[in-house]
Amino acid sequence: MELDGLSLFVDTVNAGSITAAAARRGMPKSTLSRQLRQFEEKLGVTLLERSTRRMDLTEAGQSLYNNAAPFLDELAEIQSSVLAYQRQPKGTLSIQMPQELFTTQMGELISEFLQRYPDISLSCTQYSGQYPSPSPDHDLQFILHDAPLPDSDWIARSLMSIPQGLYIAPHCAEKRPATLSELGECRCILQTGETQWAFRTGQTLTVQPVFGRLVLNSPDMQLQAAVRGLGIARLARYQAEPAVRRGALMEVTLEGKPVAQQLTVVYRSRQLPLKTQLFLDHFQNHIGRLYSLL
């Protein structure tokens, strides 16, 4: 059924006359009367009995009005509710991010976002180790990765590169490798499922197999294990630099540099809900805080 015609009919009945309804709508009486007649013709029934002095509902008109008026009222409430999201975004936002992703700074960004938008609730879960597959349980997933992400129907937006380095305890300096091939003979501190590290020399990408007897998915635990001399750790530079400055770690330099990690955000559709778009905008507007740590 044509919604415009239905609304016009209900408004006319509520106004009590075609003249009053036309005045409320700010349109000529003749135009409204014509549109009502066209609506009746589409339905194939007469809804209003018109005379020079009064307007009466037919039986079909009364039945339609009784059923349509509550429906239109409910539709107006729905529209008002949706428009409220434009005026003041609300709802629950679910995001997932790596455990090692600038924990303090991300906590500050999330707190500031919620203070700015008091009607939004936020659920943040973290993962460690290998990145998870995209999930409809999350509105946004932030992924740290070395290799390109697998093909997916999800939208992937690259946000920043995070340089990495190799680090070893100074008291183990005599064990540090001088070449990539020697790295393959050293004990490394690995993440779950990790069997190789990628290095870049100029435009050349080299993949070096690695092994070790210690597997830790937490970068903080990897750092502490490296400080204690349990192997070579591959860490984000911003994470390792404080330990390097105080002399607890030293960087291992080889002919190639570890490939930088990429931070990518993935989401299901280009048409993001307002709450999701606002959080993504908030993150990108303040990403400079993260770059200042690199």
Side-chain angles (χ1 to χ4, degrees):
M1 183 177 291
E2 182 186 334
L3 192 59
D4 288 342
L6 187 62
S7 175
L8 185 70
F9 165 70
V10 171
D11 283 354
T12 301
V13 176
N14 288 338
S17 70
I18 292 177
T19 301
R24 288 184 183 182
R25 283 182 165 247
M27 60 191 302
K29 175 182 175 182
S30 58
T31 301
L32 188 146
S33 181
R34 183 180 70 256
Q35 291 180 354
L36 273 176
R37 191 171 296 106
Q38 291 172 345
F39 180 57
E40 289 176 317
E41 290 172 356
K42 289 180 180 179
L43 294 180
V45 294
T46 300
L47 302 174
L48 296 167
E49 294 289 355
R50 306 166 180 82
S51 67
T52 55
R53 293 190 175 184
R54 55 182 298 170
M55 177 188 73
D56 296 315
L57 286 168
T58 65
E59 185 176 351
Q62 187 66 61
S63 176
L64 180 60
Y65 177 80
N66 292 342
N67 288 281
F71 166 74
L72 291 177
D73 288 341
E74 185 177 352
L75 195 60
E77 290 179 6
I78 293 173
Q79 184 179 21
S80 177
S81 176
V82 170
L83 291 175
Y85 279 82
Q86 295 179 344
R87 296 190 296 269
Q88 182 64 41
K90 60 181 67 177
T92 299
L93 178 65
S94 174
I95 63 177
Q96 185 181 53
M97 63 180 59
Q99 190 175 43
E100 61 270 30
L101 182 62
F102 305 99
T103 306
T104 300
Q105 290 72 27
M106 286 303 300
E108 292 174 354
L109 290 180
I110 288 172
S111 297
E112 291 166 3
F113 178 78
L114 291 180
Q115 289 170 344
R116 184 174 182 182
Y117 300 106
D119 291 332
I120 294 179
S121 300
L122 191 145
S123 171
C124 178
T125 59
Q126 295 179 298
Y127 71 89
S128 61
Q130 296 295 311
Y131 56 82
S133 299
S135 168
D137 294 335
H138 305 291
D139 299 294
L140 295 171
Q141 286 179 271
F142 292 87
I143 296 175
L144 276 177
H145 56 103
D146 304 320
L149 294 176
D151 291 338
S152 169
D153 292 335
W154 287 55
I155 309 301
R157 184 189 299 184
S158 180
L159 297 174
M160 65 187 301
S161 294
I162 302 176
Q164 298 189 98
L166 302 184
Y167 299 92
I168 193 170
H171 66 269
C172 299
E174 72 280 357
K175 299 179 182 179
R176 69 183 186 274
T179 65
L180 286 177
S181 59
E182 289 182 11
L183 176 64
E185 301 171 4
C186 298
R187 285 182 175 176
C188 299
I189 302 169
L190 307 173
Q191 291 188 357
T192 301
E194 206 170 38
T195 60
Q196 59 188 26
W197 289 343
F199 296 83
R200 190 176 299 281
T201 306
Q203 299 299 317
T204 304
L205 185 68
T206 302
V207 175
Q208 174 60 49
V210 291
F211 81 98
R213 66 188 182 97
L214 181 58
V215 176
L216 297 169
N217 285 338
S218 165
D220 288 337
M221 295 178 68
Q222 290 176 343
L223 186 148
Q224 293 304 320
V227 168
R228 291 178 177 273
L230 296 178
I232 297 174
R234 183 181 63 164
L235 301 166
R237 289 186 179 277
Y238 79 91
Q239 293 170 329
E241 279 304 310
V244 172
R245 286 196 297 269
R246 68 175 186 267
L249 286 178
M250 61 184 298
E251 187 170 2
V252 176
T253 56
L254 304 173
E255 66 266 32
K257 294 183 178 181
V259 171
Q261 286 186 312
Q262 301 298 314
L263 176 61
T264 298
V265 63
V266 298
Y267 42 91
R268 297 189 67 179
S269 170
R270 296 187 186 278
Q271 300 299 319
L272 290 175
L274 180 59
K275 61 182 179 181
T276 309
Q277 185 63 59
L278 287 172
F279 183 85
L280 193 53
D281 291 344
H282 178 72
F283 179 87
Q284 291 186 295
N285 289 340
H286 295 87
I287 202 170
R289 294 190 202 176
L290 310 186
Y291 272 114
S292 67
L293 300 174
L294 299 182

